[in-house]
Amino acid sequence: MGPTSILTPEEEHKICDWVQKNGKSGFSCDNRIVNCRTWVKAFIRRNPTISKRISQNLRASRARVTGDHLSEWYKCVYKELEDSGQA
């Protein structure tokens, strides 16, 4: 129960997709400061495709990022922005 969501279902779906894409890319979203823990809990409950994970130490193989890796990552991000009409 409680108050209705401020975000529309479409907006929540976009956030859900963003969280999942970042998770697949190896970027966790748990380092952000969230002022309203109840909102986060309710958001996760409404979007069961998102799961909570415990942070793990970064392995040396993942820590070795080259300029080419970063360039490719930025190209992917830019393409996503273009595809969504935000670039």
Side-chain angles (χ1 to χ4, degrees):
M1 302 304 280
T4 58
S5 178
I6 293 172
L7 301 174
T8 66
E10 294 80 20
E11 291 170 325
E12 285 204 0
H13 183 72
K14 285 182 181 181
I15 292 172
C16 189
D17 285 346
W18 178 81
V19 168
Q20 290 175 329
K21 285 177 185 176
N22 275 300
K24 287 178 185 174
S25 299
F27 295 96
S28 67
C29 302
D30 58 350
N31 291 332
R32 292 181 175 257
I33 297 172
V34 178
N35 293 328
C36 186
R37 291 186 186 275
T38 55
W39 180 87
V40 172
K41 287 178 183 177
F43 180 82
I44 291 172
R45 189 175 53 248
R46 287 190 303 271
N47 297 279
T49 57
I50 295 177
S51 63
K52 292 187 271 183
R53 291 192 276 175
I54 297 172
S55 297
Q56 299 174 356
N57 290 334
L58 187 63
R59 293 188 200 133
S61 60
R62 286 190 56 208
R64 281 188 226 110
V65 178
T66 66
D68 290 338
H69 288 119
L70 289 174
S71 180
E72 195 59 37
W73 184 83
Y74 278 108
K75 286 178 190 174
C76 290
V77 170
Y78 188 76
K79 182 176 178 352
E80 280 194 39
L81 290 172
E82 277 186 325
D83 292 348
S84 66
Q86 298 178 32

